[in-house]
Amino acid sequence: MPTVYRGTIVHTKSLNEFESFNEGFLAVENGKIIGIGNDFNNWLSSSKIDRDSFTEVRLSKFQFLSPGFCDGHIHAPQYAQIGLGMSVPLLDWLNAYTFPTEAKYVDKEFALQIYRNVVKATLRCGTTLASYFATNDLGSTLILAEEAARQGQRALIGKVCSNCNSPDFYVETTDESVDGTQAFVTAIRKLNNPLVLPTITPRFALSCSKDLLQKLGDIAKQNDLHVQSHISENLDEIEAVKQIFNTSYASAYDDAGLLTKKTVMAHGVHLQDDEIALLNQRGTAIIHCPASNTNLNSGICDVQRLIKAGLTVGLGTDVSGGNSVSVLTAIKRAIDVSKHLAFFKKQDILGTGKAQNPDNDYQQLSYKQAYYLATLGGAKALALDHITGNFSVGKDFDALLVDVSVLEKPHRAFTVDELLEKFIFTGDDRNIKAVFVAGNLVKGSI
Ligand code: GUN
Ligand code: FE
């Protein structure tokens, strides 16, 4: 039986196309959107649906339906150390905190406990689609996939590959990396869950030999798989990659065939123009991770520059470089970073009187644009926008029921734009009353 939601509905159609329905409707059947618009009665009379054969859910004036959030880059095992090591640059942070933590996941009990919690926490925060890095360990990476499937989250999951420049206690041989990846892909296919897909995951160029990158590129190509990794995050990292590969960071991946339309690269803070052009040519997307870039002092990513150059951009929490599992928090931080950058571009913040080359036309990211990055932008980046990301007829119903009156009853009614603005700037997981993936209620209640 179809379900029809009636009330305020918001979503995006592109970076600059925000669409809302004030007294709208959204109809769902078998997990898919079968109708959306303003005129429910008109739609009903032209559809084959019987007047008495659907369930109606009426939203209150402080509630609205939104597409679910897409976390384009998150390290599930690092949930165990979230909030720690937040003042250390990337390469030291990896050695001091992250590698020792990730090495623990050979312990299946430990893995199950953390992975169960991270899927639960991300769903609670409205992440209906996540692109997860797990660890080098195959067995526990499968546990993460099973947990995502069990809890009903849409997820891309990667067994992390690293065969060099890593500590002895957390490194693989090339064969282990390749065989483990192949075994993982086979095992995920056996799960036979359309929501959970494998993704080829070289950790980053620095921890993979040329030979390993090439082999992973071949597996991705032969099986038409998603790919995820890191690019141009930190200046010391970039210098090391340059020394080892004798080429640009983007070319190191491209030479191995790893830049495809199904590839996402996290960060891209310090990309050169020729690298951006290469990524654009290959259809590879960037996942912007503002919290992590700030926490690890990696730098300021100018996402407007990437977007202007034609790249698809999504948002990532990058837990635990990022200190929150909430994509809503990532939206806030993306806006903050963009405002700081815009100020820096237009004015002098160094106390010397004037900006050296003021760019007075620079546009900071609006809250609607940041919301796009967190929904449709992410789905596009992950090449899943034919299934999710907004409320087009035929797509799966991946959605949030948001209520801005949960903590305090507002003193007046809000326009649709105000509802979204309120949620973005003051909201948190408590305002997300229900979460749906492919039409299934996976968190909360209606
Ligand atoms: N580069 C390589 N590994 C990592 C990681 O775990 N987090 C971040 N932020 N960058 C990385
Ligand atoms: Fe990361």
Side-chain angles (χ1 to χ4, degrees):
M1 190 155 77
T3 302
V4 177
Y5 298 88
R6 301 190 66 182
T8 302
I9 297 153
V10 306
H11 72 160
T12 61
K13 298 174 99 171
S14 68
L15 179 72
N16 293 316
E17 275 179 284
F18 173 77
E19 186 175 49
S20 62
F21 303 93
N22 189 3
E23 287 173 28
F25 77 93
L26 190 151
V28 181
E29 189 172 34
N30 297 324
K32 292 201 184 296
I33 298 162
I34 58 167
I36 179 168
N38 277 319
D39 194 340
F40 177 59
N41 288 325
N42 189 35
W43 176 82
L44 190 61
S45 53
S46 63
S47 77
K48 291 187 202 86
I49 296 166
D50 194 319
R51 272 211 172 256
D52 307 313
S53 69
F54 60 86
T55 308
E56 186 170 287
V57 178
R58 280 198 181 261
L59 309 187
S60 84
K61 64 179 179 184
F62 296 119
Q63 294 180 333
F64 64 93
L65 274 187
S66 162
F69 289 137
C70 170
D71 188 345
H73 182 76
I74 172 167
H75 298 261
Q78 296 175 21
Y79 192 50
Q81 63 176 30
I82 192 165
L84 304 178
M86 295 284 81
S87 311
V88 185
L90 176 68
L91 300 181
D92 297 335
W93 172 81
L94 287 172
N95 284 314
Y97 292 88
T98 304
F99 294 149
T101 297
E102 290 192 16
K104 287 187 191 164
Y105 284 74
V106 289
D107 177 346
K108 305 286 180 283
E109 290 282 316
F110 177 71
L112 179 61
Q113 186 193 331
I114 304 293
Y115 286 157
R116 182 170 283 169
N117 288 345
V118 73
V119 174
K120 194 170 160 196
T122 52
L123 279 175
R124 190 183 67 234
C125 293
T127 302
T128 51
L129 166 60
S131 195
Y132 285 114
F133 278 56
T135 69
N136 289 1
D137 181 59
L138 169 64
S140 55
T141 302
L142 278 169
I143 291 176
L144 173 61
E146 285 159 7
E147 265 311 303
R150 193 181 67 78
Q151 296 190 45
Q153 192 169 46
R154 194 183 296 280
L156 290 165
I157 296 179
K159 188 209 90 69
V160 174
C161 296
S162 50
N163 71 342
C164 59
N165 297 318
S166 305
D168 292 346
F169 60 83
Y170 192 53
V171 68
E172 309 166 292
T173 64
T174 308
D175 283 349
E176 281 166 347
S177 222
V178 170
D179 295 349
T181 296
Q182 255 152 353
F184 179 68
V185 172
T186 306
I188 293 284
R189 293 208 161 136
K190 276 203 190 124
L191 273 184
N192 202 19
N193 181 327
L195 301 182
V196 178
L197 301 171
T199 175
I200 300 300
T201 307
R203 179 171 209 110
F204 63 159
L206 202 50
S207 69
C208 297
S209 66
K210 234 177 165 172
D211 180 39
L212 176 57
L213 289 180
Q214 186 64 55
K215 286 183 164 135
L216 294 176
D218 291 346
I219 297 174
K221 191 169 179 192
Q222 282 153 14
N223 300 278
D224 189 26
L225 294 171
H226 286 83
V227 175
Q228 59 179 354
S229 193
H230 298 88
I231 196 165
S232 263
E233 176 179 1
N234 163 290
L235 293 173
D236 291 337
E237 168 215 19
I238 294 165
E239 186 52 34
V241 169
K242 204 166 160 190
Q243 293 300 325
I244 292 169
F245 288 85
N246 206 17
T247 178
S248 74
Y249 211 140
S251 293
Y253 290 127
D254 191 50
D255 291 348
L258 283 162
L259 299 185
T260 75
K261 291 184 175 63
K262 291 173 91 170
T263 302
V264 287
M265 288 285 161
H267 303 284
V269 178
H270 306 284
L271 287 169
Q272 305 292 314
D273 287 344
D274 60 333
E275 295 182 283
I276 294 173
L278 178 57
L279 294 170
N280 202 18
Q281 204 179 343
R282 299 285 182 257
T284 293
I286 290 290
I287 302 298
H288 177 40
C289 303
S292 169
N293 293 341
T294 302
N295 290 334
L296 302 182
N297 285 77
S298 299
I300 295 176
C301 180
D302 185 353
V303 277
Q304 296 290 38
R305 169 177 172 240
L306 304 179
I307 292 168
K308 216 169 162 184
L311 295 188
T312 301
V313 177
L315 266 192
T317 60
D318 194 22
V319 165
S320 69
N323 58 312
S324 168
V325 289
S326 162
V327 175
L328 185 58
T329 300
I331 292 176
K332 297 184 221 285
R333 298 198 63 171
I335 295 169
D336 280 355
V337 165
S338 185
K339 285 183 175 173
H340 298 150
L341 181 61
F343 185 84
F344 181 72
K345 285 200 175 268
K346 287 179 186 175
Q347 334 224 358
D348 172 45
I349 59 164
L350 301 174
T352 51
K354 266 195 173 163
Q356 302 242 312
N357 296 302
D359 177 358
N360 291 315
D361 297 329
Y362 190 81
Q363 295 285 324
Q364 67 201 28
L365 212 56
S366 70
Y367 72 87
K368 287 180 180 171
Q369 289 175 327
Y371 173 69
Y372 163 83
L373 298 185
T375 53
L376 187 58
K380 263 192 206 279
L382 295 171
L384 290 173
D385 55 311
H386 55 297
I387 297 175
T388 186
N390 69 0
F391 291 144
S392 300
V393 169
K395 288 194 186 184
D396 284 9
F397 183 58
D398 290 0
L400 314 178
L401 172 56
V402 176
D403 189 331
V404 301
S405 69
V406 170
L407 303 177
E408 240 173 77
K409 197 157 176 64
H411 67 278
R412 67 163 172 89
F414 298 122
T415 64
V416 178
D417 282 14
E418 284 177 334
L419 281 175
L420 180 67
E421 192 178 14
K422 267 247 160 213
F423 175 53
I424 286 180
F425 288 100
T426 67
D428 59 36
D429 56 298
R430 292 169 297 183
N431 299 100
I432 300 174
K433 289 206 57 154
V435 181
F436 301 88
V437 177
N440 296 315
L441 180 68
V442 291
K443 267 282 172 259
S445 59
I446 47 172

